[in-house]
Amino acid sequence: MMANEDPLITETNRVKQKFKWGCLIWLGIFGAGTLVLAILFIGPETLFGYSYLFALLVRIVLTMYLPWLTLPAAVISLILHKNAKSSITAIGVCILLEVLEHYVQSGRGPGARGHLLLSLQDGMIWDYLWVIGYLYLVYWWIIVVKRKKKREENNESWR
């Protein structure tokens, strides 16, 4: 502890950290209990059917909207000179994903994303580039959120 640091602030931060881990542990216990009760009362087949629908919804939202949400965010980040290298990479990945989608879609109708997922078994390089591209965009958003959170914590510690 520094000489000019307030002991009340130090104790408050320690209690906040302790409660944060306690809340996460109780949240995990609550989630596991809810899952067990859902399996017992609803039935595993219905529960897994709902989880499949939820996973499908997440996949559709990610593949349809993630590049279009990332592109303006990466351009703004590039203009503000934050994460320049990763922002340029994210812009390139967004463009690559759209080009790959239109390449695969040629003559297949609106189900190009589904076709890309199903054709991963064939081992075509385009399919792997498509999956790696989406994984990179998710990684880019995680980096952006973590840096913002770290910046807010640093600003809070200066007060």
Side-chain angles (χ1 to χ4, degrees), residues 9-122:
I9 292 174
T10 306
E11 183 65 21
T12 304
N13 289 337
R14 187 186 68 76
V15 170
K16 281 182 184 177
Q17 188 69 22
K18 183 178 176 183
F19 276 116
K20 181 172 83 171
W21 285 109
C23 289
L24 287 176
I25 290 170
W26 280 108
L27 184 65
I29 291 171
F30 176 74
T34 304
L35 183 62
V36 168
L37 288 174
I39 288 173
L40 289 175
F41 290 114
I42 297 175
E45 297 85 18
T46 307
L47 187 66
F48 292 132
Y50 288 139
S51 66
Y52 174 75
L53 287 175
F54 178 73
L56 187 63
L57 179 67
V58 167
R59 184 194 68 83
I60 290 170
V61 167
L62 278 179
T63 58
M64 288 183 74
Y65 299 115
L66 188 63
W68 293 108
L69 293 174
T70 305
L71 190 61
V75 169
I76 290 170
S77 180
L78 189 63
I79 290 172
L80 297 175
H81 302 292
K82 306 211 183 219
N83 310 331
K85 291 179 184 177
S86 62
S87 295
I88 290 172
T89 307
I91 292 169
V93 167
C94 289
I95 293 169
L96 175 73
L97 287 174
E98 290 304 314
V99 168
L100 283 175
E101 179 188 339
H102 289 294
Y103 173 74
V104 170
Q105 188 175 2
S106 58
R108 289 196 181 87
R113 289 178 177 91
H115 173 74
L116 275 170
L117 283 178
L118 292 175
S119 66
L120 273 175
Q121 298 170 351
D122 296 339

